[in-house]
Amino acid sequence: MILFMTPSKAKKALAVNMKERRLALNLTQVGLSERVGVQLGTLRKFEQSGNISVENLFKLMMIIGGLKKTVAASAPDPVNFASIEEVISGKVPPNRKRGSRS
């Protein structure tokens, strides 16, 4: 899969989206930072640059939404069976472990 978004662009897009969510909820930066327990400077820096720790991002998402969807998006893909026999037998294709070769 080719992804046309760099990590830098993704951070900035995330910051814009989160700011829009905050504004839609009619929350000020001060109000949100107090509610969440994230320093005001941290929130301001995030909205300007996209830089924030994962923990603080999740704290913000708990209040303004999106945390559950973010966690769900990181779930592994469902198991794909190669044949109907695998489905009937209930045998799951083996997962490769890191560094193993099959």
Side-chain angles (χ1 to χ4, degrees):
M1 172 199 293
I2 297 175
L3 188 61
F4 294 105
M5 182 176 280
T6 64
S8 178
K9 288 180 182 177
K11 286 190 322 184
K12 289 177 184 172
L14 182 62
V16 168
N17 292 344
M18 298 300 282
K19 180 178 180 179
E20 288 177 5
R21 282 179 177 255
R22 176 180 63 76
L23 294 173
L25 293 171
N26 202 27
L27 289 170
T28 64
Q29 287 180 331
V30 172
L32 180 58
S33 70
E34 289 174 354
R35 239 178 164 174
V36 174
V38 171
Q39 292 184 358
L40 179 58
T42 299
L43 178 57
R44 285 185 174 151
K45 180 180 175 183
F46 169 59
E47 288 189 356
Q48 291 172 358
S49 68
N51 291 325
I52 194 166
S53 71
V54 172
E55 184 172 348
N56 283 337
L57 176 62
F58 286 173
K59 286 179 182 179
L60 293 172
M61 293 177 102
M62 283 175 32
I63 300 299
I64 62 177
L67 181 58
K68 188 174 182 178
K69 288 182 181 180
T70 300
V71 172
S74 67
D77 293 333
V79 175
N80 294 319
F81 294 97
S83 68
I84 191 67
E85 287 78 22
E86 286 180 357
V87 175
I88 294 169
S89 72
K91 293 181 181 176
V92 178
N95 266 347
R96 283 187 55 187
K97 303 290 182 201
R98 183 179 61 169
S100 67
R101 295 179 190 213
S102 322

